[in-house]
């Protein structure tokens, strides 16, 4: 059955870094409203806002102290209502980040829990007695250290999967669930189109809290061990959707890393828990353990191709994944998926083809459309992100030199994607008239939106072309619903596949390397999109230039 969101294109805004209108160095809701026409022009339908709720910002808003209010640094509820009105006018939709695995330690529920751990609000969290002088178990939080934090003057500990300022909410407590459902419906009643759902796979814990074998010098173990084993998340997610999203035909995208093999249909199938889940297979390529970047391994283009194909095929006949090449937790796609020294407008356009032409819902992350790249930071103190600093310290504890640790965090830091949006070549890239909260990438004079808007050969214009193709009357059906069929796998470093629809068949061929590649080819075709001016085709041979990417219609 067709759904309203199937043919949409989504865009993630990281509000703090998008556009600042009052000179405090922090992007705001008015800034987003100001740039809606830019997004509309790009072809965006759905905007996902990273958290803008009240927050002490220990984890940039992913620590919420009040779910019903807007953090003053972003604006007011009036601004939010204006944003909803202005998007509606433009036939656009807004989804917000739903962060309900945990809240902030400044949330009133948690403050009350600390006052009386054995009382009603203690039950809103996971509070357990320590084992002698030690925490209840040896699981490692995603941001390092134990998942348990001792409550002062007691032998009790509370559980936090992320930072200690982000206590996990107790989803086994019906009152907590009721509060969460009420809050979700309150926002949906306001006119939100849905949610991106944060870290949702973590809500189900194995309550036996047993130790696992340590996998690091810290004596702790990755939480994925528990998540792989624990059962029962399905019931929680089903109830969540029935009590909320279903009633509104909302669009929901789950941040799900650990869906078990063969269980995708439970998440995004016809009666799935969510409309969609992110495809993180490219992102976790080479990753040994969650949030321990210094252990990450390099990967080849063939490996990259293989994970893309595998993930695409997995979703066929089941549902639609949300396709990304970067987000606010990842390095810039152009820096991660293009070899250093080969990153240019051509190769960025090749990557853009992968973003938009996979089957699923494209989620473009702010700045991706102009080819923003990783930032270079020369000193650990210049990073802001909690996880970056944590990774650096841990890498050093585990024996890396300071230089090596800095090199590695530069490569993977979440701050790479969080530097301010580069609007133009004026001071601070036109992001703010004040002092930006995070250093602007120094390449803003070469990479900015203003330079690209009127340049028909820019990365930005190329994204527009791709989105136009997806939305055109002629090719919409095949780009949105067409099957995904891999091809040319015998060629190294070539990423090629068909999108086969009811009446049309498109083919994507990308020579994803820095040298020419000849491909035997005996089909009649029409070129729809090409990141070079021409395409050499002689005697049944396609001669693809370095990083040449084409979309052709097979006739
Ligand atoms: O990779 C992971 C699990 O395999 C973890 O990294 C985790 O699921 C992921 O980092 C969750 O990210 C989200 O929740 C965090 C927040 O810091 C991130 O920005 C957000 O995207 C805590 O709310
Ligand atoms: Ca501001």
């Amino acid at each position: 059955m067709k759904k309203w969101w199937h043919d949409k294109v989504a865009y993630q805004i990281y509000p703090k870094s998008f556009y600042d209108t009052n000179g405090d160095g922090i992007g705001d809701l008015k800034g987003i409203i100001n740039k809606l026409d830019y997004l509309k022009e790009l072809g965006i339908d759905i905007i996902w806002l990273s958290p803008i709720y009240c927050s002490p910002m220990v984890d940039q808003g992913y620590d919420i102290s009040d779910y019903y209010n807007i953090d003053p640094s972003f604006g007011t509820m009036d601004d939010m209502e204006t944003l909803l009105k202005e998007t509606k006018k433009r036939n656009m939709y807004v989804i917000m980040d739903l962060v309900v695995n945990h809240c902030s330690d400044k949330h009133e529920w948690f403050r009350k829990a600390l006052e009386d751990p054995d009382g009603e609000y203690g039950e809103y969290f996971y509070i357990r007695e320590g084992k002698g002088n030690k925490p209840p178990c040896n699981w490692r939080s995603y941001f390092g250290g134990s998942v348990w934090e001792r409550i002062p003057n007691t032998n009790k500990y509370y559980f936090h999967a992320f930072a200690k300022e982000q206590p996990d909410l107790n989803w086994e407590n019906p009152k907590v669930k009721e509060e969460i459902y009420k809050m979700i419906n309150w926002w949906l009643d306001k006119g939100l189109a849905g949610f991106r759902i944060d870290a949702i796979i973590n809500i189900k814990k194995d309550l036996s809290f047993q130790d696992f074998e340590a996998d690091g010098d810290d004596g702790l173990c990755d939480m994925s061990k528990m998540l792989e084993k624990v059962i029962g998340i399905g019931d929680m997610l089903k109830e969540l959707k029935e009590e909320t999203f279903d009633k509104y035909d909302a669009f929901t995208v789950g941040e799900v890393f650990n869906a078990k093999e063969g269980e995708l249909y439970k998440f995004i199938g016809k009666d799935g828990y969510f409309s969609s889940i992110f495809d993180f297979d490219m992102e976790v390529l080479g990753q040994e353990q969650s949030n321990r970047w210094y252990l990450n391994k390099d990967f080849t283009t063939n490996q990259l191709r293989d994970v893309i194909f595998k993930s695409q095929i997995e979703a066929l006949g089941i549902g639609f994944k949300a396709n990304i090449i970067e987000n606010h937790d990842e390095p810039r796609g152009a820096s991660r998926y293009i070899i250093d020294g080969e990153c240019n407008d051509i190769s960025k356009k090749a990557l853009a083809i992968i973003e938009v032409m996979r089957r699923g819902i494209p989620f473009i992350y702010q700045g991706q459309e102009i080819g923003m790249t990783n930032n270079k930071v020369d000193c650990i103190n210049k990073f802001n992100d909690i996880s970056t600093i944590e990774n650096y310290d841990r890498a050093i504890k585990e024996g890396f030199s300071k230089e090596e640790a800095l090199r590695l965090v530069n490569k993977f830091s979440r701050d790479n994607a969080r530097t301010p949006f580069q609007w133009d070549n004026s001071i601070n890239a036109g992001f703010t008239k004040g002092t930006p909260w995070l250093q602007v990438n120094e390449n803003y004079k070469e990479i900015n939106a203003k330079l690209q808007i009127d340049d028909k050969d820019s990365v930005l214009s190329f994204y527009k072309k791709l989105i136009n193709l997806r939305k055109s009357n002629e090719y919409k059906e095949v780009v949105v619903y067409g099957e995904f069929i891999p091809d040319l796998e015998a060629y190294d470093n070539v990423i090629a596949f068909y999108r086969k629809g009811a009446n049309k068949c498109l083919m994507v061929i990308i020579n994803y390397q820095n040298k020419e590649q000849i491909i035997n080819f005996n089909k009649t075709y029409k070129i729809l999109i090409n990141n070079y001016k021409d395409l050499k085709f002689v005697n049944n041979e396609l001669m693809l230039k370095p990083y040449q990417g084409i979309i052709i219609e097979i006739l």
Side-chain angles (χ1 to χ4, degrees):
M1 199 179 58
K2 292 196 172 169
K3 292 280 192 186
W4 68 265
W5 44 267
H6 280 162
D7 60 356
K8 302 293 182 267
V9 176
Y11 187 93
Q12 179 188 356
I13 292 185
Y14 197 69
K16 196 166 184 180
S17 303
F18 194 55
Y19 187 54
D20 173 27
T21 56
N22 64 350
D24 64 357
I26 295 175
D28 40 52
L29 285 171
K30 286 204 168 77
I32 298 172
I33 297 166
N34 201 292
K35 298 294 184 186
L36 283 180
D37 289 328
Y38 167 81
L39 297 176
K40 183 73 193 170
E41 182 63 23
L42 174 59
I44 302 305
D45 309 290
I46 299 176
I47 297 171
W48 152 28
L49 301 179
S50 274
I52 50 169
Y53 315 87
C54 289
S55 166
M57 301 284 164
V58 170
D59 186 21
Q60 301 302 356
Y62 284 90
D63 46 322
I64 297 172
S65 53
D66 179 356
Y67 289 94
Y68 291 94
N69 276 299
I70 305 293
D71 194 88
S73 62
F74 295 124
T76 62
M77 192 58 83
D78 274 354
D79 294 337
M80 185 62 199
E81 270 150 21
T82 310
L83 175 65
L84 289 171
K85 241 185 266 146
E86 290 297 317
T87 44
K88 197 158 180 213
K89 245 194 232 165
R90 293 168 175 80
N91 280 323
M92 294 164 95
Y93 305 81
V94 177
I95 66 176
M96 278 169 92
D97 223 300
L98 183 64
V99 189
V100 285
N101 172 67
H102 45 268
C103 59
S104 158
D105 63 342
K106 299 290 173 315
H107 194 288
E108 89 171 292
W109 297 334
F110 191 70
R111 284 195 284 116
K112 288 184 181 159
L114 282 191
E115 275 163 27
D116 180 12
D118 299 317
E120 183 187 351
Y121 286 94
E123 285 296 313
Y124 273 48
F125 300 89
Y126 298 100
I127 296 179
R128 295 289 185 279
E129 290 291 325
K131 273 201 289 196
N133 230 348
K134 281 171 46 194
C137 71
N138 74 340
W139 307 347
R140 182 188 300 109
S141 76
Y142 291 116
F143 295 158
S146 169
V147 294
W148 297 102
E149 180 72 13
R150 195 183 200 131
I151 302 179
N153 309 319
T154 69
N155 192 31
K156 294 184 197 307
Y157 292 73
Y158 69 86
F159 184 99
H160 60 92
F162 294 88
K164 67 177 188 325
E165 295 86 353
Q166 295 167 296
D168 282 42
L169 286 162
N170 179 3
W171 277 74
E172 312 284 344
N173 179 349
K175 275 198 202 139
V176 170
K177 292 195 287 183
E178 205 178 291
E179 288 281 5
I180 291 172
Y181 302 156
K182 189 178 91 190
M183 180 273 291
I184 293 174
N185 292 333
W186 185 85
W187 277 105
L188 290 170
D189 281 332
K190 262 195 181 307
L192 277 194
F195 291 96
R196 172 268 185 186
I197 306 168
D198 188 71
I200 192 66
I201 216 70
N202 293 285
I203 62 174
K204 180 76 196 179
K205 275 84 172 158
D206 179 349
L207 298 178
S208 66
F209 293 118
Q210 53 170 329
D211 284 354
F212 287 95
E213 197 186 321
D215 57 22
D217 296 356
D218 54 6
L220 304 175
C221 77
D222 201 89
M223 277 228 304
S224 56
K225 299 222 176 85
M226 178 276 290
L227 292 174
E228 274 157 25
K229 278 183 60 186
V230 69
I231 48 172
I233 181 124
D235 297 334
M236 283 182 177
L237 297 180
K238 186 164 176 286
E239 183 182 297
L240 165 64
K241 118 184 160 121
E242 285 169 357
E243 295 291 331
T244 59
F245 317 134
D246 265 2
K247 302 182 187 167
Y248 297 81
D249 195 16
F251 172 60
T252 57
V253 192
E255 190 198 23
V256 174
F257 278 92
N258 318 54
K260 294 175 183 137
E261 191 86 23
E263 296 202 338
L264 185 68
Y265 75 97
K266 295 190 183 169
F267 288 86
I268 61 169
K270 200 171 119 295
D271 297 311
Y273 312 133
F274 306 116
S275 311
S276 183
I277 62 172
F278 288 110
D279 179 355
F280 287 119
D281 287 7
M282 279 171 78
E283 282 65 33
V284 300
L285 191 55
Q287 181 182 299
E288 295 277 299
Q289 276 184 20
S290 40
N291 288 28
R292 283 171 93 193
W293 306 329
Y294 47 91
L295 300 178
N296 288 2
K297 301 267 187 308
D298 289 341
F299 52 84
T300 64
T301 299
N302 285 355
Q303 287 172 318
L304 181 66
R305 172 186 65 192
D306 294 348
V307 296
I308 293 173
F309 287 2
K310 183 164 176 262
S311 173
Q312 284 282 297
I313 289 165
E314 186 194 12
L316 288 177
I318 294 180
F320 293 83
K321 293 192 183 182
N323 296 325
I324 61 166
I325 62 161
E326 63 198 57
N327 67 26
H328 67 294
D329 292 334
E330 299 292 332
R332 288 288 179 178
S335 301
R336 177 147 159 83
Y337 302 113
I338 301 170
I339 293 171
D340 256 355
E342 299 178 8
C343 186
N344 52 43
D345 282 4
I346 293 285
S347 52
K348 286 176 186 176
K349 290 174 189 173
L351 199 54
I353 297 178
I354 297 176
E355 167 73 74
V356 181
M357 290 305 288
R358 279 178 285 172
R359 189 176 161 283
I361 320 298
F363 266 73
I364 295 168
Y365 178 72
Q366 68 179 42
Q368 177 187 334
E369 77 278 19
I370 57 168
M372 281 178 65
T373 58
N374 277 358
N375 199 14
K376 284 194 195 69
V377 178
D378 55 12
C379 165
I380 187 66
N381 298 330
K382 291 188 187 155
F383 286 102
N384 177 294
D385 169 37
I386 179 172
S387 178
T388 304
I389 294 158
E390 215 322 288
N391 252 280
Y392 177 83
D393 291 345
R394 218 179 328 158
I396 287 179
K397 264 193 212 130
E398 294 192 18
F400 289 80
S401 69
K402 284 188 173 164
E403 293 70 36
E404 194 57 5
L406 189 64
R407 187 183 72 80
L408 289 167
V409 295
N410 258 295
K411 209 167 154 189
F412 295 105
S413 172
R414 308 197 298 178
D415 278 350
N416 281 311
R418 299 177 180 186
T419 63
F421 190 100
Q422 292 160 211
W423 290 106
D424 58 40
N425 65 6
S426 70
I427 189 155
N428 297 323
F431 161 71
T432 178
K433 294 210 158 47
T435 309
W437 72 276
L438 185 67
Q439 199 183 35
V440 174
N441 192 317
E442 60 188 27
N443 65 17
Y444 73 91
K445 293 212 162 115
E446 295 85 60
I447 302 176
N448 66 61
K450 184 147 184 252
L451 268 180
Q452 298 191 20
I453 285 174
D454 297 321
D455 173 1
K456 64 175 187 7
D457 290 326
S458 66
V459 175
L460 178 63
S461 299
F462 196 77
Y463 266 96
K464 284 185 194 166
K465 264 187 225 161
L466 289 166
I467 295 174
N468 281 339
L469 179 77
R470 182 179 159 96
K471 297 194 158 185
S472 66
N473 284 335
E474 217 179 336
Y475 297 103
K476 189 178 182 151
E477 192 274 340
V478 57
V479 179
V480 174
Y481 293 103
E483 217 182 308
F484 181 97
I485 307 169
D487 197 21
L488 306 181
E489 284 167 283
Y491 294 90
D492 281 334
N493 307 323
V494 170
I495 303 179
F497 53 87
Y498 298 94
R499 297 296 315 279
K500 197 169 181 312
N503 306 305
K504 284 191 183 297
C505 180
L506 304 187
M507 186 174 189
V508 171
I509 310 177
I510 305 169
N511 176 30
Y512 206 90
Q513 59 190 335
N514 209 18
K515 59 173 198 217
E516 289 190 12
Q517 174 71 52
I518 293 176
I519 284 170
N520 294 321
F521 200 74
N522 58 6
K523 299 188 165 72
T524 329
Y525 63 85
K526 173 169 127 191
I527 301 187
L528 303 181
I529 288 188
N530 182 357
N531 62 353
Y532 277 82
K533 295 235 155 20
D534 53 4
L535 176 66
K536 251 199 193 161
F537 184 48
V538 192
N539 296 334
N540 282 345
E541 282 183 340
L542 278 176
M543 275 174 277
L544 296 178
K545 301 214 172 79
Y547 284 99
Q548 181 156 27
I550 55 172
I551 303 172
I552 55 184
E553 179 176 1
I554 306 291
L555 301 171

